[in-house]
RNA sequence: GUCCGGAUAGUGUAGCGGCCUAUCAUGAGGGCCUGUCGAGCCCCCGACCCGGGUUCAAAUCCCGGUCCGGACGCCA
């Protein structure tokens, strides 16, 4: 078959592939596994000529060449690196990924290809390999993107017990050199350098493990809250007024008006209690224009917020501690591989978490030599000293009303303290929440007491006038939950593109 | 924002008035090598944050700036 004819038509075990099949979406490569064995199969859907054929080492190379010629490069991958096993000895596969390392020993050359899941060793024997293939590999720069088609060879001397003997290596994306940082773990890079080249930093198995765990964490939170009857909502991040007071907001231009980036979904999730969704949650960005410069603060963070009707502060605390436990055990179970990459072992916390009142908290801090007055917020030092004393997750309850936001419900018999709580990790605060004020009159008064203008909250207060159920809720800092779970020191490690006082790019 | 520390090849570092034509590793380029797996060996390339000052002499000391790290402050 001439190369021109091959480009138009190819026969694979009775299934005739036309060139237009390659341009359409009708053609799919599927990996079918039965038990441990995996086979690759080419499928064509369509009204007339549907069918499938097994791909073996003879026709696979032909197919790959044809596909790459037609620009359908994305379907050429047949396996992730970890899907290949030594039992597949003799079968042809295509792995796509980055040239992690190239070790040229003269008569034998090793190319290590890294994809999301792991690494594969590609072995080229000088005498036995196609000269062009060898040339491509020898000229490869580290971190270039390649598609390697080759035969799986069971080999005790190779990592994982197998290697790939390539029949074709296509360079899909050439990498310049020198690289902005090392990806092999031989030379460290500062966090600042890594953030400047985050795309490359995320290629490192270590960094990637953090974000794979972040995914598992968020997924387990959604699972848990869904099971508890919560409805996921999304609320606006562009808002008209400074919502809650307290924190500084980022002003933005909204057509001819001034607007702000929202500091929290607080007011909106409460509106949905009046809206009758009964239990809601949101996982989304929050923005704070504070000039803080620490390892646990960001100007753009992710908050996990819930609000629930007919539950009091104790009820939502119980949900919170169960959630934390669920996240830890889900991550421990489903993220075992990533935890191993990080060298981290996590201990699922026991529930219920210990509860101490604000009064008890300040007396612990005082016993540890901290100077703190009743009515003060906890300083970093106090927080650390109490955390050290308790040594595990805990709640601080019954806060002074005046240092908590206006929506926290004061105790009826003792209005100087309120039904607010913080959920703490020994290292830092993870969450704060409260039973909310649901009486219109009281809420108006509380807003005024905090030195804010109730008229500026009309959009919010209105919902309290026409039937607002009693309700409670909390917000958890997603990054803090993750960093404390993994023992990571700097919050920037757990955000892909952190925004802090100095960093606005990338 | 305050205080403390820092800025040296692409990356990570040593040097802290003259021994600096600046150390080591990694990397890049070239060479040898058929089982590497942080491969090894030989050759070679590449840097003192910016501005001002002190001094016979500054990577090194002083001042200002910028950036980075840490602690604290601020922080629903």
């Amino acid at each position: 078959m001439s190369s021109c004819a091959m480009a138009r038509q190819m026969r694979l075990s009775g299934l005739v592939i036309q060139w237009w099949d390659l341009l359409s979406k009708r053609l799919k490569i599927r990996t079918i596994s039965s038990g441990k064995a995996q086979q690759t199969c080419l499928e064509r859907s369509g009204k007339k000529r549907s069918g499938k054929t097994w791909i073996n080492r003879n026709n696979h190379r032909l197919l790959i060449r044809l596909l790459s010629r037609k620009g359908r490069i994305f379907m050429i991958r047949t396996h992730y690196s970890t899907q290949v096993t030594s039992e597949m000895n003799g079968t042809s596969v295509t792995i796509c990924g980055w040239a992690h390392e190239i070790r040229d020993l003269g008569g034998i050359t090793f190319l290590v290809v890294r994809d999301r899941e792991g690494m594969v060793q590609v072995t080229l024997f000088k005498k036995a390999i196609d000269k062009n293939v060898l040339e491509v590999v020898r000229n490869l720069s580290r971190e270039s993107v390649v598609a390697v088609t080759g035969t799986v060879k069971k080999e005790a001397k190779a990592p994982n017990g197998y290697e790939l003997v390539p029949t074709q290596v296509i360079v899909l994306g050439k990498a310049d050199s020198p690289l902005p940082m090392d990806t092999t773990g031989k030379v460290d890079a500062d966090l600042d350098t890594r953030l400047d080249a985050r795309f490359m930093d995320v290629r490192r198995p270590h960094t990637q493990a953090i974000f794979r765990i972040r995914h598992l964490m968020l997924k387990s939170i959604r699972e848990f809250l869904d099971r508890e009857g919560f409805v996921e909502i999304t609320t606006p991040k562009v808002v008209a007024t400074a919502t809650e007071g307290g924190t500084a907001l980022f002003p933005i231009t909204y057509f001819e008006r001034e607007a702000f980036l929202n500091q929290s979904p607080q007011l909106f999730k409460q509106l949905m209690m009046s809206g009758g969704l009964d239990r809601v949650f949101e996982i989304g960005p929050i923005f704070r224009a504070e000039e803080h410069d620490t390892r646990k603060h960001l100007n753009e963070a992710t908050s996990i917020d819930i609000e629930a009707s007919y539950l009091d502060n104790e009820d939502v605390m119980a949900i919170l501690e169960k959630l934390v436990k669920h996240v830890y055990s889900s991550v421990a179970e489903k993220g075992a591989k990533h935890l191993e990459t990080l060298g981290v072992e996590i201990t699922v916390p026991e529930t219920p978490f210990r509860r101490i009142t604000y009064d008890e908290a300040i007396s612990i801090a005082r016993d540890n030599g901290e100077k703190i007055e009743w009515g003060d917020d906890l300083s970093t030092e106090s927080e650390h000293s109490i955390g050290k004393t308790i040594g595990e997750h805990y709640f601080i309850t019954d806060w002074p009303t005046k240092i908590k936001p206006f929506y926290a419900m004061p105790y009826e018999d003792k209005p100087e303290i309120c039904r607010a709580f913080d959920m703490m990790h020994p290292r830092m605060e993870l969450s704060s929440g409260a039973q909310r004020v649901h009486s219109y009159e009281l809420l108006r008064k509380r807003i005024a007491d905090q030195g804010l203008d109730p008229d500026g909250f009309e959009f919010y207060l209105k919902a309290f006038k026409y039937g607002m159920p009693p309700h409670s809720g909390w917000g958890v800092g997603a990054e803090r939950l993750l960093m404390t779970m993994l023992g990571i020191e700097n919050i920037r490690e757990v955000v892909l593109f952190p925004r802090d006082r100095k960093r606005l790019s990338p």
Side-chain angles (χ1 to χ4, degrees):
Chain A
M1 194 190 285
S2 73
S3 71
C4 181
M6 190 181 73
R8 279 200 300 271
Q9 194 186 69
M10 179 171 70
R11 183 178 287 271
L12 291 172
S13 312
L15 183 72
V16 177
I17 308 293
Q18 304 287 350
W19 68 268
W20 55 81
D21 287 328
L22 301 171
L23 296 177
S24 74
K25 292 259 164 70
R26 274 178 293 177
L27 212 52
K28 285 209 172 73
I29 291 180
R30 253 186 238 290
T31 304
I32 296 174
S33 39
S34 55
K36 271 195 168 178
Q38 286 183 319
Q39 269 192 296
T40 310
C41 148
L42 184 70
E43 256 183 15
R44 184 175 55 203
S45 53
K47 282 175 197 160
K48 284 182 184 169
R49 282 191 300 265
S50 62
K52 69 179 179 185
T53 182
W54 297 109
I55 297 178
N56 57 37
R57 60 189 298 185
N58 296 325
N59 57 30
H60 184 248
R61 190 175 162 194
L62 191 67
L63 176 68
I64 295 305
R65 192 176 295 170
L66 197 51
L67 292 175
S68 58
R69 186 168 304 184
K70 287 295 168 193
R72 297 288 311 272
I73 57 168
F74 296 104
M75 31 185 296
I76 69 182
R77 173 166 66 202
T78 60
H79 297 76
Y80 278 120
S81 59
T82 48
Q83 293 175 313
V84 181
T85 62
S86 54
E87 281 80 54
M88 292 162 67
N89 189 259
T91 57
S92 178
V93 297
T94 298
I95 301 288
C96 293
W98 288 268
H100 187 68
E101 279 186 295
I102 303 132
R103 281 190 280 272
D104 186 355
L105 275 63
I108 186 168
T109 302
F110 298 102
L111 161 66
V112 178
V113 177
R114 186 194 67 242
D115 64 16
R116 193 182 75 182
E117 302 300 319
M119 312 215 194
V120 164
Q121 174 167 288
V122 179
T123 306
L124 300 92
F125 301 93
K126 190 180 176 182
K127 285 181 181 159
I129 208 82
D130 184 312
K131 249 198 219 147
N132 299 320
V133 173
L134 185 63
E135 221 25 51
V136 169
V137 171
R138 281 192 166 159
N139 289 326
L140 262 183
S141 51
R142 283 165 70 231
E143 294 303 319
S144 287
V145 178
V146 291
V148 179
T149 301
T151 310
V152 179
K153 185 183 160 207
K154 188 172 178 172
E155 174 56 72
K157 281 181 277 190
N160 310 322
Y162 71 89
E163 60 196 11
L164 218 54
V165 179
T167 46
Q168 180 161 51
V169 175
I170 304 170
V171 181
L172 299 171
K174 188 181 172 299
D176 266 1
S177 100
L179 300 168
M181 58 176 287
D182 169 59
T183 54
T184 63
K186 286 181 204 162
V187 185
D188 289 339
D190 288 342
L191 179 59
D192 195 49
T193 307
R194 288 166 41 215
L195 290 175
D196 281 340
R198 195 56 146 166
F199 62 91
M200 187 147 292
D201 182 42
V202 178
R203 292 183 194 178
R204 296 165 63 231
H206 187 95
T207 305
Q208 193 149 322
I210 293 172
F211 292 100
R212 297 291 293 272
I213 291 172
R214 186 180 163 119
H215 160 74
L216 291 173
M217 175 186 84
L218 293 173
K219 192 171 93 129
S220 71
I221 291 168
R222 288 197 162 90
E223 280 164 5
F224 176 88
L225 291 174
D226 177 61
R227 213 184 304 144
E228 295 282 328
F230 285 81
V231 173
E232 181 163 7
I233 59 168
T234 47
T235 62
K237 304 307 147 204
V238 176
V239 295
T241 49
T243 46
E244 301 164 51
T247 196
L249 301 187
F250 288 110
I252 60 166
T253 302
Y254 192 74
F255 302 107
E256 69 284 358
R257 282 177 289 175
E258 185 184 50
F260 301 92
L261 293 178
N262 208 178
Q263 69 187 101
S264 119
Q266 180 63 34
L267 272 31
F268 293 100
K269 65 180 183 171
Q270 282 191 265
L271 292 185
M272 283 306 100
M273 295 301 97
S274 187
L277 288 180
D278 199 73
R279 293 182 176 203
V280 299
F281 78 99
E282 175 163 16
I283 299 175
I286 55 169
F287 304 90
R288 306 207 171 159
E290 295 298 332
E291 302 208 350
H292 36 48
D293 188 11
T294 78
R295 296 193 294 176
K296 58 178 186 181
H297 289 278
L298 288 170
N299 295 292
E300 179 178 357
T302 309
S303 111
I304 302 154
D305 267 87
I306 74 156
E307 203 66 29
S309 294
Y310 313 108
L311 296 186
D312 67 12
N313 44 323
E314 285 292 339
D315 295 326
V316 291
M317 283 160 70
I319 291 174
L320 180 52
E321 62 196 359
K322 272 201 285 183
L323 172 72
V324 172
K325 186 175 182 174
H326 175 76
V327 167
Y328 270 69
S329 48
S330 292
V331 168
E333 185 196 331
K334 292 171 191 155
K337 176 185 159 187
H338 306 306
L339 291 171
E340 200 188 315
T341 303
L342 293 174
V344 169
E345 267 183 57
I346 64 177
T347 313
V348 179
E350 296 289 327
T351 52
F353 294 167
R354 193 164 152 193
R355 283 136 167 85
I356 59 171
T357 62
Y358 170 83
D359 288 2
E360 286 165 335
I362 58 171
S363 82
I364 292 171
R366 279 180 185 151
D367 289 348
N368 292 147
E370 306 295 333
K371 285 195 188 78
I372 180 167
E373 294 297 316
W374 195 93
D376 288 348
D377 208 342
L378 261 35
S379 67
T380 306
E381 260 179 295
S382 306
E383 212 175 89
H384 289 167
S385 102
I386 299 165
K388 218 172 168 185
T389 304
I390 302 214
E392 56 190 3
H393 289 88
Y394 63 103
F395 284 104
I396 303 176
T397 62
D398 301 349
W399 286 76
T401 305
K402 67 170 185 185
I403 57 169
K404 282 292 173 187
F406 58 76
Y407 46 75
M409 172 87 94
Y411 281 99
E412 298 73 9
D413 50 344
K414 207 176 175 193
E416 66 274 17
I417 60 170
C418 64
R419 295 176 179 273
F421 56 86
D422 280 4
M423 195 269 285
M424 314 291 294
H425 178 273
R427 282 172 56 200
M428 68 188 80
E429 178 192 331
L430 297 185
S431 170
S432 65
Q435 181 174 161
R436 322 299 191 185
V437 174
H438 63 279
S439 139
Y440 174 80
E441 289 76 22
L442 180 56
L443 192 55
R444 250 195 107 83
K445 181 177 172 298
R446 292 280 300 119
I447 291 172
D449 287 351
Q450 299 277 19
L452 298 163
D453 177 12
D455 292 339
F457 291 88
E458 205 37 52
F459 80 99
Y460 168 69
L461 282 165
K462 205 162 116 188
F464 289 74
K465 271 205 281 199
Y466 303 100
M468 173 64 92
H471 60 280
S472 303
W474 43 250
V476 173
E479 285 79 15
R480 289 186 177 188
L481 181 60
L482 183 57
M483 71 190 284
T484 51
M485 178 165 60
L486 299 180
I488 288 169
E489 301 282 339
N490 195 320
I491 195 166
R492 280 156 262 247
E493 295 275 4
V494 302
V495 178
L496 282 173
F497 301 104
R499 290 289 171 264
D500 61 35
R501 183 72 185 88
K502 298 282 175 57
R503 185 174 283 278
L504 190 53
S505 171

